[in-house]
Amino acid sequence: KGAVNTLFLALLFQLNPSFASAAATTCPPAPTTIMSDLPRWDLSSRFGFESPFDEKIDTLLETVKTDAKKFRDTYENKLEENLYKAIQEYEAICVQKATISSYLHLSYDTQLNDDKLKKRKGAISQTQSSIVGDYLEWFTLDLASVPTDTIADLKTKTPELVKYTAFIEEVQRSKPHDLSKEVERALTVRSPYTGTRPLVSFMDKELSMMKFDLKDGADKVNMQELLGKMGSSKDSGTRATCMKALNDGLGNSVSRVAALSLSAVAGSWLIENKERSYKGLRSRRNLDNNCPDEVVDSLLEAVRSDGVTYCKRYYAMKKIILKETQGLETFRWSDRNAPIDLPTKKEEGEEKKEEEDKISWPEAIKMVERGYRKFSPHMADLFMGMVNEKRIDVPAVDHKKGGAYCAGVVPGIGPFQLLNFDGTKNDVSTLAHESGHGCHDILAYKQGYLQYHPPLTLAETASIFGEMIVFRDLLELAKSPQERLTLLMSKIDDVINSVVRQCSFDRFEELAHTARDKGELSSEELDAFWAQAMVEYYGKAGNEGGDSPFDTFEDTAHLWSYVPHFHHVPFYVYSYAFADLVVGSLYNSFQKNPDGFEDRLIDLLGAGGTRDFATALAPFGLDPTSPSFWKEALEAHLGVLLQEAETIANSLGYSATK
């Protein structure tokens, strides 16, 4: 189960939070010349398949079926006779199976318009589900039932078994929630045909085909282009037009489809929780993350109190700066991620640019490599290896999955990054982020397929740390207070999106899943839950007499309907907040005690999934199980960044008392 979850999450959801909402969109060709001839990944030389229709795939699939049947016949009800060999063979079968599915997923994500490929991928997925249900599902159930004393005796008799301790412990943690073999098999075999998967897939495709009319006389644009324009424009009117087009577009049939999908997902989650005896809404996800409910509750509580306070302080400052520099009259939700344009004395009187300058791909590589190399030459070399070995699919082109991810695939073949690079500063940050995932994967491959991927609470550590070191490098190079403030505010935008916004997403899920127990969810109900979560985390809008820095939340009612995590991985989103605050604390530890830090971090990353988060962070003097940890992490990370930004803003005359 852990192996399957690892592959699914690695393929779909290792996303920069800034782009999470665009995960299911397609992208337009980049119009600028520096965006032409961008590198594509080379899958064939790594996987050994010429195309998704290569007969070698069918041959390997038949081998998987044969090996899996032999595996069941050899070991079912006889695990204790040779558990070490059984796990080895199970891992080898999982690697073969993941090689096929990974190749098809990666291929399809750059060819979303290819219906033949989609059908091919679906057919093989159905076959693999049958193989798992018929020949493999029993294994984790039987392993979970082996008494711990027996496991200890087997480790004594076969010392090599110790290397699989983390995998065994992960499987055995699920024992109280496992169902009978017959039921588990039925659920697995039926999953490609029934349940939530068909609805979620249909919703994904609906989102990928959306087009939006900006009323500017130009052709309609797709979602990725719309979000890019809204995020890079320095004109509040353009941003507001984009937001209205997005919300209105989602408010048509798409939000009803999304409501049907989310209602099915929440219903499935609800009945699974009941049947499997999970204690709370998040307990199932927390168990996957090997994280106690109490730690997650403490994180959410800290963000909802201290994090919200920092959030309001920041947006109050940003509102003032946008009014001074862009003539903003009404601070809308569309202005939340607006780029800051602070003129220096040299630039005063010059005509302002409508959008930020593009950064070329070679420049982006240099920026990320420089930041990585200042911290860790080893990680910089790993990054350049991914670039030179054509492991990154770079351009934003038609019929390509939107957003970004890094797929670890399997040791010896992965990792691969999918980007939609269009030369923005956020795109450079995304490259640093996904390359962190790639470094993490490469360092952890020595743990083997079953154990290389860390729990979600640590999975974002390298990626967000990668962003942080590149940001700090750029901050050191800043030549003026204006440039420094611009960089700081861009980083704070990211942190608030990762921490406060993701926790508001979690609150929306909590409201939706709780209501699902009383019946099917409607799009109108979900609109109301979304509005409630926004008020709880950003305050009541100013035009309603509230304390929020935002004057209005107009054109936001349907935005819940394009966040893919709600459908694919319920209650995943708090992991972003967890990771961002942990990385902030790690970086603080690095600044205070840099000696030996690189070695300690690489050791943490190399452990993959063999350590829980508390054990992994102990060498850095961090204890996330402490009730005070999250409040202290918020202060050390978001609080420090905000204080520096406010100090510079005040010195430049951007003050509420001006």
Side-chain angles (χ1 to χ4, degrees):
K1 291 178 183 176
V4 174
N5 288 339
T6 291
L7 173 66
F8 180 70
L9 295 175
L11 284 171
L12 292 178
F13 296 109
Q14 291 185 342
L15 301 175
N16 183 328
S18 299
F19 294 92
S21 57
T25 65
T26 53
C27 305
T32 52
T33 54
I34 64 169
M35 295 299 109
S36 60
D37 299 323
L38 294 175
R40 310 302 301 265
W41 56 26
D42 175 15
L43 301 181
S44 294
S45 67
R46 305 294 170 187
F47 284 89
F49 304 131
E50 291 300 320
S51 80
F53 301 93
D54 194 329
E55 291 182 359
K56 291 180 183 177
I57 294 175
D58 302 279
T59 301
L60 181 57
L61 185 61
E62 190 60 36
T63 299
V64 170
K65 183 177 181 179
T66 301
D67 290 350
K69 184 178 184 303
K70 181 181 177 183
F71 175 77
R72 186 198 64 182
D73 294 343
T74 303
Y75 295 108
E76 188 171 17
N77 300 319
K78 295 174 281 187
L79 265 186
E80 296 175 21
E81 294 179 11
N82 198 337
L83 181 57
Y84 175 63
K85 194 166 185 298
I87 295 178
Q88 281 189 310
E89 291 185 20
Y90 176 76
E91 184 171 42
I93 294 169
C94 288
V95 166
Q96 292 177 318
K97 188 164 63 69
T99 298
I100 295 171
S101 56
S102 296
Y103 178 73
L104 292 174
H105 273 293
L106 295 173
S107 298
Y108 181 64
D109 283 352
T110 58
Q111 304 172 67
L112 293 179
N113 63 322
D114 191 332
D115 288 338
K116 289 184 179 179
L117 175 53
K118 180 183 178 182
K119 186 174 182 178
R120 165 80 161 163
K121 185 168 75 78
I124 288 181
S125 174
Q126 292 168 8
T127 301
Q128 289 199 331
S129 292
S130 295
I131 292 171
V132 172
D134 290 339
Y135 307 124
L136 299 175
E137 191 76 56
W138 67 271
F139 174 68
T140 53
L141 297 172
D142 280 10
L143 179 56
S145 299
V146 178
T148 53
D149 290 345
T150 302
I151 295 291
D153 291 341
L154 291 172
K155 287 179 179 178
T156 301
K157 295 176 183 176
T158 311
E160 297 90 343
L161 186 60
V162 173
K163 71 175 282 190
Y164 288 111
T165 294
F167 170 68
I168 294 171
E169 290 178 349
E170 177 190 1
V171 171
Q172 295 208 318
R173 280 195 301 272
S174 69
K175 171 60 178 174
H177 311 289
D178 287 338
L179 304 176
S180 69
K181 287 184 182 179
E182 293 76 17
V183 173
E184 295 285 7
R185 179 197 175 278
L187 291 173
T188 299
V189 172
R190 294 179 185 184
S191 62
Y193 302 91
T194 62
T196 63
R197 192 182 301 184
L199 273 174
V200 173
S201 296
F202 180 73
M203 184 209 66
D204 285 345
K205 188 163 186 178
E206 288 294 296
L207 285 171
S208 74
M209 295 189 299
M210 288 190 74
K211 294 286 186 178
F212 302 88
D213 187 357
L214 297 181
K215 311 294 185 184
D216 57 0
D219 293 339
K220 290 183 178 181
V221 299
N222 62 35
M223 190 181 293
Q224 190 74 19
E225 187 175 13
L226 178 74
L227 294 171
K229 189 174 185 67
M230 182 163 58
S232 63
S233 177
K234 297 177 182 178
D235 178 71
S236 60
T238 299
R239 296 192 296 264
T241 297
C242 289
M243 181 61 75
K244 179 172 174 53
L246 175 62
N247 189 63
D248 288 351
L250 293 169
N252 294 324
S253 60
V254 173
S255 65
R256 291 195 294 275
V257 172
L260 182 62
S261 174
L262 184 51
S263 188
V265 169
S268 174
W269 191 263
L270 173 70
I271 196 63
E272 288 268 331
N273 280 355
K274 288 182 177 180
E275 291 293 318
R276 296 181 184 277
S277 303
Y278 286 104
K279 185 171 63 175
L281 279 174
R282 301 176 188 83
S283 298
R284 184 173 160 198
R285 180 67 61 212
N286 297 345
L287 183 68
D288 289 343
N289 290 343
N290 194 15
C291 186
D293 288 352
E294 296 75 20
V295 172
V296 176
D297 292 343
S298 179
L299 162 67
L300 295 172
E301 181 183 346
V303 173
R304 193 163 177 176
S305 56
D306 294 34
V308 167
T309 299
Y310 289 129
C311 176
K312 290 179 179 178
R313 264 177 58 189
Y314 172 68
Y315 286 128
M317 177 181 69
K318 185 164 189 175
K319 179 178 180 178
I320 291 168
I321 292 176
L322 288 175
K323 283 187 174 183
E324 292 286 337
T325 60
Q326 296 184 14
L328 186 74
E329 295 180 0
T330 302
F331 191 43
R332 303 174 181 274
W333 190 249
S334 53
D335 301 314
R336 181 173 52 89
N337 290 323
I340 297 299
D341 186 18
L342 300 176
T344 62
K345 288 185 177 180
K346 180 181 178 182
E347 296 169 333
E348 287 177 356
E350 294 182 4
E351 183 178 350
K352 292 185 178 180
K353 297 176 181 178
E354 170 64 22
E355 296 183 2
E356 296 177 318
D357 290 333
K358 297 287 186 180
I359 299 167
S360 72
W361 175 243
E363 288 172 328
I365 293 172
K366 289 178 182 177
M367 292 167 73
V368 173
E369 183 193 7
R370 185 179 64 230
Y372 270 47
R373 198 165 294 284
K374 280 189 175 182
F375 167 72
S376 170
H378 183 43
M379 289 181 67
D381 290 341
L382 294 179
F383 165 68
M384 290 306 299
M386 287 183 275
V387 172
N388 295 328
E389 293 171 12
K390 296 184 178 179
R391 294 182 175 275
I392 308 176
D393 200 83
V394 181
V397 294
D398 275 334
H399 312 305
K400 179 178 178 180
K401 195 178 191 77
Y405 63 69
C406 180
V409 190
V410 300
I413 293 180
F416 291 93
Q417 294 182 46
L418 181 142
L419 305 178
N420 279 285
F421 185 84
D422 194 33
T424 69
K425 291 177 182 177
N426 273 338
D427 289 338
V428 177
S429 180
T430 300
L431 174 61
H433 179 101
E434 301 305 338
S435 297
H437 280 306
C439 290
H440 200 164
D441 290 334
I442 295 168
L443 291 168
Y445 280 155
K446 62 186 178 184
Q447 304 298 342
Y449 177 73
L450 295 178
Q451 298 183 140
Y452 87 85
H453 200 279
L456 292 181
T457 46
L458 293 174
E460 298 290 338
T461 302
S463 56
I464 296 177
F465 202 89
E467 287 186 66
M468 178 66 81
I469 57 180
V470 172
F471 159 70
R472 287 292 176 182
D473 177 56
L474 294 174
L475 200 61
E476 287 180 14
L477 299 175
K479 298 177 181 178
S480 67
Q482 290 87 346
E483 184 179 355
R484 189 173 183 86
L485 179 57
T486 298
L487 287 167
L488 281 166
M489 293 184 69
S490 178
K491 183 61 180 175
I492 296 171
D493 280 337
D494 288 343
V495 174
I496 288 178
N497 285 337
S498 295
V499 177
V500 180
R501 189 168 188 236
Q502 298 299 321
C503 288
S504 76
F505 284 3
D506 178 274
R507 174 59 174 155
F508 167 77
E509 286 188 281
E510 180 181 36
L511 292 167
H513 281 249
T514 301
R516 183 63 181 87
D517 199 15
K518 299 176 182 177
E520 190 170 321
L521 301 171
S522 68
S523 58
E524 291 78 13
E525 281 182 288
L526 293 167
D527 287 350
F529 294 148
W530 185 255
Q532 180 179 338
M534 288 184 70
V535 169
E536 290 179 7
Y537 280 81
Y538 297 93
K540 191 175 182 180
N543 65 350
E544 298 180 4
D547 64 343
S548 175
F550 292 96
D551 297 314
T552 176
F553 289 136
E554 184 182 11
D555 297 323
T556 62
H558 313 303
L559 299 186
W560 58 269
S561 59
Y562 79 129
V563 181
H565 299 66
F566 299 154
H567 307 264
H568 291 280
V569 275
F571 296 102
Y572 170 94
V573 288
Y574 76 72
S575 299
Y576 286 123
F578 193 113
D580 212 311
L581 293 178
V582 164
V583 167
S585 298
L586 280 172
Y587 197 85
N588 191 41
S589 172
F590 167 59
Q591 289 181 309
K592 292 178 179 178
N593 183 22
D595 293 341
F597 185 90
E598 178 191 358
D599 292 338
R600 291 196 298 276
L601 183 64
I602 287 178
D603 179 64
L604 180 157
L605 301 179
T610 63
R611 298 176 194 165
D612 62 70
F613 71 94
T615 304
L617 296 175
F620 302 90
L622 303 179
D623 181 15
T625 64
S626 167
S628 63
F629 174 82
W630 299 110
K631 288 181 178 288
E632 293 170 358
L634 278 162
E635 169 59 30
H637 187 31
L638 182 54
V640 168
L641 290 170
L642 180 55
Q643 182 61 55
E644 183 177 357
E646 287 174 333
T647 299
I648 298 175
N650 287 334
S651 72
L652 294 174
Y654 302 116
S655 170
T657 58
K658 182 177 177 181

